[in-house]
């Protein structure tokens, strides 16, 4: 019985003396500022990538804000065909243009 008790005391003191893992205190940066523009949806960011890749093959990237929503309607109908975009890509670019016009 004494031996068992002794064992507990030994083990107990080993555990107690084990060096504590010191984790440095990390204070997270407080996020107080609102982002200037709302985050893009996946659809919009895909559209942006297409815009910068496929819509710059024949001319430089056009400034979206230089045209009105109505103008873009016609431009996109023509240009998405020129760029040979499929339906999904056309939707993505359309969403991106709309997003840019709003922001
Ligand atoms: C196959 C070549 C080609 C591709 C690809 C292309 N464009 Fe164009 N784009 C043209 C030509 C040619 C013009 C007319 C001349 C110019 O303004 O540079 C034009 C003009 C434009 C204009 C100006 C329209 C105006 O009324 O002044 C915009 C905006 C535009 N393109 C956007 C796009 C977008 C967005 C895409 C991608 C979906 C795209 N283009 C892909 C050839 C292309």
């Amino acid at each position: 019985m004494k031996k068992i008790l002794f064992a507990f005391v030994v083990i107990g003191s080993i555990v107690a003396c084990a060096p504590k893992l010191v984790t440095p205190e990390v204070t997270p940066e407080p996020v107080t500022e609102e982002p200037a523009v709302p985050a893009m949806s996946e659809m919009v960011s895909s559209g942006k990538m297409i815009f910068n890749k496929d819509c710059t093959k024949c001319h430089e990237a056009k400034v979206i804000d230089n045209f009105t929503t109505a103008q873009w309607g016609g431009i996109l109908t023509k240009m998405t065909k020129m760029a040979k975009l499929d339906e999904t890509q056309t939707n993505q670019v359309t969403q991106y243009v709309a997003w840019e016009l709003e922001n």
Side-chain angles (χ1 to χ4, degrees):
M1 189 59 196
K2 251 193 185 162
K3 262 190 188 160
I4 294 170
L5 198 66
F6 176 75
F8 271 119
V9 171
V10 171
I11 292 168
S13 52
I14 289 169
V15 172
C17 294
K20 277 186 192 142
L21 284 178
V22 182
T23 37
E25 225 175 274
V26 183
T27 355
E29 291 277 312
V31 186
T32 46
E33 276 176 60
E34 284 278 308
V37 280
M40 287 184 191
S41 70
E42 223 168 278
M43 182 124 179
V44 170
S45 55
S46 307
K48 185 178 183 175
M49 269 158 48
I50 295 165
F51 187 90
N52 289 324
K53 187 172 147 272
D54 296 282
C55 300
T56 53
K57 283 181 180 159
C58 307
H59 46 69
E60 83 283 10
K62 299 286 180 182
V63 178
I64 292 174
D65 285 330
N66 284 354
F67 304 93
T68 63
T69 305
Q71 285 174 310
W72 270 113
I75 292 165
L76 283 174
T77 307
K78 204 170 125 195
M79 290 299 151
T80 51
K81 281 202 191 88
M82 299 267 277
K84 298 190 170 70
L85 300 186
D86 65 24
E87 207 186 317
T88 308
Q89 293 168 320
T90 299
N91 283 337
Q92 288 165 335
V93 169
T94 305
Q95 292 283 317
Y96 168 61
V97 169
W99 184 90
E100 275 290 346
L101 289 170
E102 276 171 27
N103 294 290

